[in-house]
Amino acid sequence: MNVLFIVVDDLRPVLGCYGDKLVKSPNIDQLASQSVVFSNAYAQQAVCAPSRVSFLTGRRPDTTRLYDFYSYWRVHAGNYSTMPQYFKENGYATLSVGKVFHPGVSSNYSDDYPYSWSIPPFHPSTEKYENDKTCRGKDGKLHANLVCPVNVTEMPSGTLPDIQSTEEAIRLLKAMKTKKQKFFLAVGYHKPHIPLRYPQEFLKLYPLENITLAPDPWVPERLPSVAYNPWMDIRQRDDVKALNVSFPYGPLPDDFQRQIRQSYYAAVSYLDMQVGLLLNALDDVGLSNSTMIVFTADHGWSLGEHGEWAKYSNFDVATRVPLMFYVPGMTSSSASQGEKVFPYLDPFSYVSDLVLQGRSKKMVELVSLFSTLAELAGLPVPPACPKTSFSVALCTEGASIVRYFNSSEEKLEKVEKDGCDDAYRGYVEEPIAFSQYPRPADTPQWNSDKPKLKDIRVMGYSMRTDDYRCTVWVGFNPSNFSADFEDVHAGELYMVESDPHQDYNIYNYTLHGGLLKKILGFLKH
């Protein structure tokens, strides 16, 4: 079984297959209709490099020791094997296109080549223009804006990075078909990461009068100041700078909030087109029946909820991601000869009649991807990591979730209530997703969103269950990577059923000792 691993930058589950009524995402929805879709999947840290290194190594940020962008785990934590490295060592050609690892120090300026990849990773030549002044403003001049619909023919080289990545991925699929070589192809798409730069025609799908504000566009009254992210990267864009918004909480004007939300949706539809072209090419080369597909994102993105934008927090909007697995013959019946599994669907004309095959509401984590893909590919599942694993090259801290694919919810409940056996590596009685986020101080400051390791003083450990999200902000010592759970700076507790948007913090009004013990109990493993 080949593997096509699609990872998207900053994509929260605003997709038709996740119940969003506004977005046009027919190609991703079509993939979902042939897949097992996880409704409750969470990243381990809501920022690019730490999240990607976490799920690609199968280790949590406290084990990779990467909370920022400035260290390489093989040097600063341990020489951990990665998921593509494991496939490579088991006879696969491993190929990277676009943004898979975060580029720079955190992947040794090489996307972890040659450890993880058979050939040097491909990066689009136009990637270097992402933050340049390429957005034409109302004044006719070029700006480095946040909201940036463009005429693609006017862009450098007449293209955009994700278009180039799709073209290269298709070229590689054809080459693998010719060579008859089993492959692990990872394709990393940039959008909807900021700047929201996409072909301007996608704006037509989202008339501004149809765009609403977030359901809770205010800063919650009982939100601890340490939990708030002041969206500095947004503030640095030319169009946001011009608004002269106060720091740290000052709200953006309502009309501009709508424009951001409009452009985020438009960028998602542009992404959907790229995914559709890629999956259609998989069909065309005749590999849809022999290739499993994983589709996910590195983390979510706030669209005005809690008065916040971007990622950089422990809220669901920042940590929850789409996650789906297409496994031919398992999640869908194999297509007959010549039949298309993924015909390209035009987002401008297609009307969705989506029927989902399988949906799991189980709480799952991206740290489980490594063991899950190994099991689906028929490879030995890497062992569970011991309590301290810095010297262990091959192990994972996330249990395979294949057991959730075909079982009924009732059977699964019984397994969890009876306690999981070693094969399931059950650390806790109920499925829980853990995330964490560092802060330099208890109040928002210029580096609150992305503190460097040396500046981290507080770590927010968050657990999400079916019923609640609980976050404890505790003292953190960056010199020895230690959290002090006796030094609690603040806490958050949101009950999912009565407070789905996480606006009413009841931490200080609840007997929460048991919840803190749960977090402590897990972290001790």
Side-chain angles (χ1 to χ4, degrees):
M1 188 76 73
N2 303 307
V3 180
L4 175 57
F5 182 82
I6 303 171
V7 58
V8 182
D9 216 349
D10 293 17
L11 177 66
R12 61 192 265 171
V14 289
L15 299 165
C17 52
Y18 278 83
D20 193 287
K21 300 287 191 285
L22 184 62
V23 76
K24 306 286 191 298
S25 55
N27 294 287
I28 298 169
D29 296 346
Q30 178 174 246
L31 172 62
S33 73
Q34 303 289 318
S35 303
V36 169
V37 176
F38 285 87
S39 301
N40 289 301
Y42 293 88
Q44 276 47 78
Q45 190 178 324
V47 70
C48 305
S51 175
R52 289 165 186 262
V53 169
S54 173
F55 68 68
L56 288 165
T57 61
R59 320 266 183 137
R60 299 179 188 278
D62 279 346
T63 307
T64 65
R65 292 182 163 173
L66 180 69
Y67 312 107
D68 56 16
F69 299 82
Y70 307 108
S71 68
Y72 180 42
W73 77 93
R74 293 188 192 273
V75 173
H76 294 278
N79 189 22
Y80 310 146
S81 295
T82 68
M83 175 165 55
Q85 177 182 354
Y86 188 59
F87 276 81
K88 183 177 169 219
E89 289 166 353
N90 280 278
Y92 283 72
T94 55
L95 313 160
S96 174
V97 172
K99 186 178 177 182
V100 180
F101 280 100
H102 190 87
V105 179
S106 63
S107 57
N108 204 31
Y109 297 100
S110 65
D111 292 11
D112 198 44
Y113 175 79
Y115 298 103
S116 288
W117 311 109
S118 303
I119 60 173
F122 170 86
H123 283 279
S125 61
T126 58
E127 205 174 73
K128 59 180 173 283
Y129 305 116
E130 270 295 273
N131 292 307
D132 287 5
K133 296 188 174 188
T134 56
C135 320
R136 197 164 296 285
K138 289 175 183 171
D139 58 4
K141 296 177 182 173
L142 293 177
H143 301 273
N145 286 346
L146 169 64
V147 173
C148 186
V150 298
N151 179 339
V152 176
T153 62
E154 293 179 357
M155 291 299 99
S157 305
T159 188
L160 292 171
D162 286 345
I163 295 171
Q164 290 184 293
S165 289
T166 301
E167 291 166 351
E168 175 64 9
I170 292 171
R171 188 190 72 77
L172 287 171
L173 285 176
K174 290 174 179 172
M176 290 297 105
K177 172 70 172 180
T178 304
K179 288 181 180 174
K180 297 191 166 85
Q181 165 84 53
K182 66 179 178 179
F183 61 84
F184 179 107
L185 171 59
V187 182
Y189 284 115
H190 284 264
K191 294 303 116 179
H193 191 288
I194 68 167
L196 297 170
R197 189 168 71 116
Y198 55 87
Q200 60 195 15
E201 56 269 25
F202 284 92
L203 270 181
K204 294 178 201 162
L205 294 172
Y206 303 102
L208 205 51
E209 60 267 23
N210 294 350
I211 306 297
T212 61
L213 297 179
D216 52 347
W218 58 85
V219 180
E221 190 181 329
R222 295 198 290 260
L223 180 71
S225 56
V226 70
Y228 186 80
N229 71 280
W231 32 282
M232 286 300 295
D233 55 353
I234 303 290
R235 294 170 187 272
Q236 288 158 9
R237 310 303 301 182
D238 289 353
D239 48 354
V240 180
K241 267 187 199 169
L243 298 170
N244 202 22
V245 178
S246 65
F247 180 89
Y249 299 111
L252 291 167
D254 286 2
D255 61 337
F256 194 74
Q257 290 193 40
R258 287 190 176 91
Q259 287 177 47
I260 299 174
R261 289 169 67 90
Q262 175 193 39
S263 274
Y264 187 90
Y265 276 97
V268 170
S269 291
Y270 160 56
L271 160 76
D272 181 79
M273 173 181 270
Q274 301 310 311
V275 172
L277 293 169
L278 177 59
L279 298 185
N280 185 58
L282 189 72
D283 263 348
D284 287 346
V285 295
L287 292 172
S288 297
N289 273 342
S290 56
T291 303
M292 73 168 97
I293 303 168
V294 185
F295 179 89
T296 192
D298 55 356
H299 43 71
W301 210 79
S302 298
L303 283 166
E305 297 86 1
H306 316 113
E308 294 181 307
W309 300 88
K311 47 259 189 178
Y312 316 126
S313 82
N314 280 318
F315 283 118
D316 278 15
V317 283
T319 55
R320 184 169 169 244
V321 294
L323 178 62
M324 59 191 80
F325 297 84
Y326 162 77
V327 188
M330 182 179 182
T331 64
S332 67
S333 53
S334 296
S336 53
Q337 194 68 35
E339 184 189 353
K340 295 207 85 156
V341 183
F342 303 115
Y344 174 73
L345 303 174
D346 184 351
F348 291 94
S349 58
Y350 183 75
V351 179
S352 177
D353 53 353
L354 181 67
V355 180
L356 287 180
Q357 296 295 317
R359 179 185 288 279
S360 173
K361 293 180 181 175
K362 289 296 167 192
M363 208 62 54
V364 297
E365 305 173 293
L366 291 187
V367 76
S368 291
L369 280 172
F370 191 160
S371 49
T372 302
L373 279 182
E375 182 172 348
L376 287 172
L379 302 178
V381 177
C385 289
K387 184 174 174 181
T388 304
S389 64
F390 296 110
S391 61
V392 182
L394 180 63
C395 69
T396 68
E397 293 177 344
S400 168
I401 58 174
V402 173
R403 66 189 186 278
Y404 294 156
F405 279 35
N406 287 327
S407 308
S408 70
E409 297 286 324
E410 293 76 27
K411 279 185 192 166
L412 292 168
E413 290 297 333
K414 185 172 188 314
V415 167
E416 274 137 16
K417 282 174 183 164
D418 291 349
C420 304
D421 62 23
D422 286 343
Y424 289 166
R425 294 186 225 151
Y427 298 133
V428 286
E429 293 166 2
E430 58 184 313
I432 293 177
F434 284 83
S435 304
Q436 62 189 95
Y437 210 87
R439 294 280 188 240
D442 288 327
T443 53
Q445 52 190 53
W446 68 272
N447 62 341
S448 288
D449 293 345
K450 297 189 281 189
K452 290 185 176 179
L453 174 64
K454 67 180 176 59
D455 298 322
I456 297 170
R457 295 293 178 272
V458 188
M459 187 69 75
Y461 289 98
S462 193
M463 57 190 278
R464 176 66 155 83
T465 73
D466 289 332
D467 300 319
Y468 59 82
R469 177 174 286 287
C470 179
T471 304
V472 181
W473 296 90
V474 300
F476 185 83
N477 183 342
S479 62
N480 61 5
F481 303 92
S482 66
D484 181 0
F485 279 82
E486 301 299 312
D487 178 23
V488 177
H489 291 225
E492 299 169 80
L493 177 61
Y494 307 99
M495 305 311 292
V496 172
E497 191 172 345
S498 59
D499 182 19
H501 301 302
Q502 300 167 9
D503 293 316
Y504 302 100
N505 178 15
I506 60 169
Y507 182 88
N508 290 333
Y509 303 84
T510 313
L511 293 170
H512 47 260
L515 295 177
L516 187 54
K517 279 180 187 167
K518 267 192 178 180
I519 292 185
L520 277 167
F522 183 85
L523 292 172
K524 282 173 184 168
H525 277 282

